[in-house]
Amino acid sequence: MTADSLAPPRRLGHRLFGRPELGAVVGAVAVFVVFSVAADSFLRPASLGTVLYAASTIGIMAVPVALLMIGGEFDLSAGVLVTSSALVSSMFSYQMTANVWVGVGVSLLVTLAIGFFNGIMLSRTKLPSFIITLGTFLMLTGLNLGFTKLIDGTVSTKSIADMEGFSSARALFASHLTIGDVDLQVTILWWIALVAVATWVLLRTRAGNWIFASGGGPDAARAVGVPVTRTKTGLYMAVAFCAWISGQHLLFSFDVVQSGEGIGNEFLYIIAAVIGGCLMTGGYGSAIGSAVGAFIFGMTSKGIVYAEWNPDWFKFFLGAMLLLATLLNAWVRKRAEAAK
């Protein structure tokens, strides 16, 4: 066998080791094997829809959060922003006795404005994104509770199920379809579409190059003409857009919204992105990796239930997965760099 005949496999191996999501894929296979052995019901077709739904509720937000982390920033307000978008839709529709689509449209504008605010504050103040979005998180937490109590008199919104447009909005944001024995929520389709679009943007567009450059070295990126401020502001607005999608799903799934929901979910989005291969320092990661990370979350959260384990162990398991995936991702990256 000649050296030339061995070259293509080596190049393929180098490409595989260079993929950010490789560690997450290995982790996902391990988690799948564990729960396949521990819980017979885990392998049933009906369980697949449940696992995918749990993964999609995290995955929809993990996609833009991963892109933001590749761009070198964080968003600690992402969890409560989902609740804010749902509250705006519900309360505007109810108070104005308007078609619910009017509330949905107003919610989109308000949510995007909050994302724009985060991006502009980051660029104007030069403060770390941790501080900027922590401030937004605290303000939104207070506004969610304060406005809901002020307008509705309770910590939850009024029902809008009998309003015009509710059925069509539910069809878009909270419907489901059945394929065989598998019940699939529409959030799974939203999730797949977002992963596909984000992957295309990262790998096939100039904006994707800007995102990697902004996270890898913003000063060097500016020096070669990359619009760093505009790129990062756009990423925050992408997080806001996906928060709007998740918020509308929350509203039209349950009809009413609790104003205290969403707190802490921002860490789940970040965990999914990190497990998927995103570096905390920016400049490295993938949208597909975030999807695999979210899928690991879905398998873990539902697998523990199917295995009849104590659910108190869930966060321990998730933390262990985070550490192991981070270590594995670091090893993979070093191998990739050594192979160049």
Side-chain angles (χ1 to χ4, degrees), residues 53-319:
Y53 175 60
S56 68
T57 57
I58 299 299
I60 286 174
M61 289 300 297
V63 170
V65 167
L67 265 61
L68 184 63
M69 290 181 66
I70 295 171
E73 306 297 344
F74 295 93
D75 191 347
L76 297 181
S77 66
V80 292
L81 186 56
V82 170
T83 305
S84 297
S85 70
L87 290 172
V88 171
S89 290
S90 179
M91 288 191 288
F92 190 90
S93 297
Y94 185 86
Q95 295 299 323
M96 298 300 177
T97 62
N99 186 301
V100 297
W101 282 106
V102 177
V104 169
V106 171
S107 174
L108 175 60
L109 295 177
V110 171
T111 309
L112 289 176
I114 294 172
F116 181 76
F117 170 81
N118 281 336
I120 290 299
M121 286 293 291
L122 180 73
S123 63
R124 295 292 175 85
T125 65
K126 307 301 181 184
L127 290 172
S129 57
F130 178 89
I131 299 298
I132 296 293
T133 58
L134 178 60
T136 308
F137 161 80
L138 294 172
M139 289 189 293
L140 289 178
T141 302
L143 286 172
N144 288 351
L145 183 60
F147 267 116
T148 307
K149 282 187 173 182
L150 178 65
I151 295 174
D152 291 330
T154 65
V155 295
S156 64
T157 60
K158 306 294 186 185
S159 173
I160 60 170
D162 58 347
M163 296 188 64
E164 185 180 356
F166 184 86
S167 297
S168 58
R170 170 172 277 184
L172 180 62
F173 295 108
S175 62
H176 64 92
L177 62 134
T178 302
I179 302 176
D181 295 329
V182 182
D183 187 49
L184 300 177
Q185 295 287 336
V186 72
T187 50
I188 299 170
L189 301 181
W190 279 105
W191 179 34
I192 293 172
L194 288 169
V195 171
V197 171
T199 300
W200 175 76
V201 169
L202 279 177
L203 302 181
R204 301 297 181 187
T205 70
R206 184 169 57 177
N209 293 332
W210 291 347
I211 293 171
F212 281 110
S214 297
D219 292 334
R222 287 190 184 93
V224 296
V226 173
V228 174
T229 297
R230 192 170 69 191
T231 298
K232 294 190 176 186
T233 301
L235 290 173
Y236 275 109
M237 293 182 73
V239 173
F241 176 74
C242 292
W244 171 75
I245 294 173
S246 296
Q248 304 319 295
H249 171 70
L250 178 66
L251 172 60
F252 293 107
S253 290
F254 304 104
D255 181 24
V256 296
V257 182
Q258 299 293 325
S259 58
E261 292 186 38
I263 297 175
N265 285 351
E266 59 278 353
F267 294 112
L268 298 180
Y269 310 148
I270 293 172
I271 288 170
V274 172
I275 289 177
C278 292
L279 293 182
M280 304 294 285
T281 52
Y284 189 80
S286 74
I288 294 175
S290 74
V292 179
F295 186 55
I296 290 175
F297 171 88
M299 287 193 293
T300 304
S301 62
K302 299 306 175 184
I304 287 176
V305 175
Y306 294 139
E308 298 182 352
W309 295 350
N310 188 332
D312 293 338
W313 289 97
F314 168 66
K315 289 190 176 179
F316 170 83
F317 195 93
L318 198 62

Side-chain angles (χ1 to χ4, degrees), residues 19-30 272-277 288-293 296 299 321 325 328-329 332:
R19 294 303 306 164
E21 61 272 8
L22 177 60
V25 171
V26 173
V29 171
V274 172
I275 289 177
I288 294 175
S290 74
V292 179
I296 290 175
M299 287 193 293
M321 279 300 307
L328 182 57
N329 290 337
V332 168

